[in-house]
Amino acid sequence: MTDRVANPWGERTPYGQGENWPIRVDQFLEDGISEEEVDRWVQTASLHHANGDAMDLAVRDGRIVGVRGRAVDRINHGRLDPKDLFVWQAYNSEDRLTQPLVREGGRLEPTDWDIAMNRIVERSRSLLEEQGPSSFGFYTTGQLFLEDYYTLGVIARAGIGTNHLDGNTRLCTATADRSLKESYACDGQPGSLSDIDHADTICLYGHNVAETQAVTWMRILDRRRGPNPPKLIAVDPRPTPVAREADVHLAVKNGTNLALMNALVREIIANDWVDHDYVQRNTVGFEELKRRTRDWTPEKAAQICGVPAQKIREAARLIGTAERLLSTALQGVYQSHQATATAVQINNINLIRGMLGKPGCGVLQMNGQPTAQNTRETGCDGSMPGFRNWQNDAHMEDLAWVWNVDPLTVPHYSEPTHCMQIFRYAEQGSIKFLWISCTNPAVSLPELHRIRSILAQERLFVVVQDIFLTETAQLADVVLPAASWGEKLGTFTNADRTVHISEKAVEPPGEAKADLDIFLDYARRMGFKDKDGQPLIKWHDPESTFEAWKECSRGRPCDYTGITYEKLRGSSGIQWPCNEEHPEGTERLYTDGEFWAKPDYCQDYGKDLLTGAFMEPTEYQAMNPFGKAIIKAETYTPPHEVPREEYPFLLTTGRTIYQFHTRTKTARAPQLQEAAPEVWAELSVPDADGLGIGEGDLVEVASPRGAVRARARISGIREGVVFLPFHYGYWDQPEGDSPDGSPRAANEITLTDWDPASKQPIYKTAAVRVTKVEAANGNVAPAPTNTASAPVRDIGVRTAGGAAAEVSETIGGGVSRR
């Protein structure tokens, strides 16, 4: 096999426009294991990015010993991301959580499931009686299965009756969700990954697909190496692999995406590259778009976003004259200032060009996590289950009918609470119970010293359900050991609506339990009932849960009623909606210009893109009575935090292909950890020269909120911008391992701010300064003047397999929990 660390995308298999992507099966087995020695291969799909690459797990003697890609699957045609190839090794780690832990006298002590669950139930019942449902918050992930989310959603919304349920998908997919609701009045990816096979122009807006969805990048590269290759446009301040491959690279200044998009739209309209028949027949709002963008000349945008006017015109010409246009976006858009307004302009381009619902013509508002789509479908990420509209009483009555509860049981007095507000309520003391499942906010949320202080409050009862003792688990009152991917059965859905099954291949370690079983056990112990006095949760295993979900989805846009476990086994994944009308699934949405936007059916009435204020049902009815696609736009405004004398640089954070999220799994795979073992700070050549910084020097990156230290990398990133990968926390780093024992988590210095419409936190614009601390040769630099003191990092090592451990250590910023 090709060295997939040195060459993460593998060998090319070129193909032409309209041809089938050739098969290439990737495989990796544990040293010393041959294919003949594998006991069995078990079907699954990737849980380590949003692509949904289908694969088989190799099992020998009850252990996972390797993987291979599934050639029959529509997503990857056998190929695997480097994370897919290697990360399975982490699940065999000796430091897996294997038994519950409870806090006793400031220590996490091993216990049994009855004691742990009884403690959770006792606190739940007392809070329900004394404080009510709003004292509960649930913060979940984008890495569980559909069956887990659906059960959690029913527990939270109909069992407890709280509106405070969100996922860490708020950090990666909330703007995708919101922008689709704004443009089409409903979630659901219009395009398909197979559109890459047909497109003649591909635009990647803030989407470093080479490192976030590596197999999709392989598909693009194979098209680019074949006959009739598509033109490629990349919008990114960094010289990523995508930017280096692109025909046009727009190195936009952080925080100015909307200025650039307004100029691109203006050029398309000014040059009459508009499908007027499509616009008139299928959309509302075009005249307002013209008015809003009329003054956004390339010259005006160039002054703001730092991209030459001629490059803006060149990109607009490629977009405007394309015959098959595919547009994609990810975190460079979603985690930025005015995120939703920018993503909506991307949707607008395909709408005014009439390029939806045809091969090669689509929009992929991509996800950042493997099962983020399921959080949105099941109501665990700021939505109601089945894409129901919380402002539509008929929808909420229908949901109550599905669950057999009184409609008033399910809170819908406002939009479901987003995670940043959940943590604010916990900080203020109104939320006193927080159940965190399969996520690590003590490393992933902005302004970490604040998040740690919230989680460490004595008045907040914290439950953490995970597979390792993460930085967040170390602050919990109860830790529940969960089974992981390959150790449980279920389904999940990728970014282009493709549903895969993941079979159970091996038993979980020790006493660890499947997430679904944990939630079902909690519901049983709590005695949640429907309005007839029968158990609220009527399912008992993954397949019965899936069947219950199908009924919840029936007749809604995300209709699963035509999918069964048996249908998913042995073949390719299936795209929803899949029902009697579409028994084999649906490759593209809106093929006939019909949208799920009629007032009585739509999932959402939309928001003001500048303020986030909701549109009232009567306003929407007047604006869009016939359910067309909605074209809307907003004026550019500067970010809230901009560079200044004390903090002259802009910070942006992001990913590396070799790590995932907070590295709880990828850092335990030796090939991946060795490829990217430490945090780094990326600077431009002029900026590094001006600061006297060389490659490998130790630098301090400081914001008004704190500081981190990292080794410098000098690159072609645009001047004035500093990049930090956000993966690196503290669980694997005993005190003294990092330079000076100082913090290295990028989110020590990010700011607490979010997009007004999607509520997605902003990780791409923070004002920072950079100072040299130590040369690569070990010589200490002179002490910088006026430097903010970095938070002291003092974290001990705890046994993750259930042994008692001291809990008096402080994590990254002087917060302890006793």
Side-chain angles (χ1 to χ4, degrees), residues 269 285-295:
I269 295 173
F286 179 64
E287 291 303 318
E288 178 66 10
L289 179 71
K290 287 173 62 177
R291 187 187 69 80
R292 289 268 190 170
T293 59
R294 184 177 296 123
D295 297 332

Side-chain angles (χ1 to χ4, degrees), residues 10 23 37 59 101 111 146 161 175 196 212 217 268 290 307 335 349 381 417 455 489 499 546 602 642 789:
I23 289 171
E37 294 173 300
V59 178
L101 306 173
T111 189
L146 181 153
T175 299
I196 295 167
T212 57
W217 182 237
I268 292 168
K290 287 173 62 177
V307 175
Q335 294 178 341
I349 286 176
D381 186 18
T417 313
L455 293 173
L489 170 64
V499 184
F546 187 79
C602 70
V642 297
S789 59

Side-chain angles (χ1 to χ4, degrees), residues 13 67 79 94 146 163 224 239 352 354 374 403 452 458 478 499 504 595 636 698 721 724 729 767:
T13 54
V67 293
R79 293 161 185 77
E94 294 182 358
L146 181 153
N163 209 28
R224 293 272 293 176
I352 66 176
N374 297 125
W403 291 345
R452 288 189 296 264
E458 288 295 328
V478 178
V499 184
K504 181 177 179 179
F595 297 88
Y636 167 76
L698 178 64
V721 176
L724 288 172

